[in-house]
Amino acid sequence: SISGSAQSTGSFGVLKLASYNQGYSNQNNTYFGINTGKASTNQKNVGVGYQVLSEEIDSGKNVAIGYEAMHEVASADQNVAIGMEAGYQTNQDNTVYIGYQAGKEANSFASVIIGQGAGYNLSGFYNVLVGSSAGNKNTSAQHNVFIGDNSGYDITTGDGNTFIGYKASGSS
């Protein structure tokens, strides 16, 4: 059993942040990390981690967290990328990337990509991919829902599919 009381008075000091930048070439950005936002040409981005949004060109209103998340993006707005290399080189808008290399080379509009390697090459629109390597080989597939480890893995261009479960898939 723990009992008693604690009291604190006074100031807690000043928070000092290494490698913090509120916008290299524009304003209204918040960046934490080495080279994060280094080439930024837009505003209203938040980047946390090593080289996050560091090659960003004309992309705004994004949140990227993790080693090289959204590293090489151009004209990509209103995205969220969390995880190492998540959304690494997207050039589309309104997509969520969560997980190690989720959508690493993807250019998907209005999609949700969650899981390690999910939607790695996806360029199709309006997809929901949840699970490790879900939709990993997708290129221009659209309007799909793949839920489960490796679900929809071999679908490259097929539209309007729903696969749920481990390795649930079809062809094209």
Side-chain angles (χ1 to χ4, degrees):
S1 160
I2 298 175
S3 63
S5 64
Q7 181 178 2
S8 177
T9 60
S11 172
F12 289 100
V14 175
L15 175 63
K16 293 184 180 181
L17 302 168
S19 299
Y20 166 73
N21 184 326
Q22 195 174 11
Y24 280 96
S25 60
N26 214 317
Q27 47 187 300
N28 302 317
N29 293 309
T30 303
Y31 296 132
F32 297 92
I34 295 172
N35 293 327
T36 295
K38 184 177 180 180
S40 180
T41 61
N42 211 323
Q43 57 185 333
K44 299 180 184 110
N45 289 308
V46 175
V48 178
Y50 177 75
Q51 293 189 354
V52 172
L53 290 160
S54 64
E55 302 297 322
E56 174 271 314
I57 297 171
D58 194 31
S59 302
K61 299 171 279 305
N62 295 297
V63 176
I65 301 171
Y67 181 93
E68 294 187 336
M70 293 188 73
H71 178 72
E72 297 176 5
V73 297
S75 302
D77 297 320
Q78 295 145 218
N79 294 293
V80 175
I82 301 172
M84 180 177 175
E85 298 176 341
Y88 185 89
Q89 61 184 23
T90 187
N91 295 317
Q92 289 291 339
D93 305 331
N94 305 309
T95 296
V96 175
Y97 306 95
I98 300 175
Y100 171 71
Q101 294 185 337
K104 182 178 178 180
E105 296 178 9
N107 284 304
S108 183
F109 177 80
S111 294
V112 176
I113 302 171
I114 301 173
Q116 177 262 321
Y120 191 92
N121 295 304
L122 183 64
S123 62
F125 299 165
Y126 311 109
N127 291 286
V128 176
L129 311 175
V130 179
S132 179
S133 295
N136 184 275
K137 292 185 178 180
N138 288 188
T139 53
S140 60
Q142 299 187 60
H143 304 280
N144 292 299
V145 176
F146 303 145
I147 300 174
D149 180 28
N150 286 293
S151 62
Y153 186 89
D154 293 320
I155 301 299
T156 56
T157 59
D159 298 339
N161 296 292
T162 300
F163 295 117
I164 299 174
Y166 172 67
K167 292 190 176 181
S169 192
S171 61
S172 278

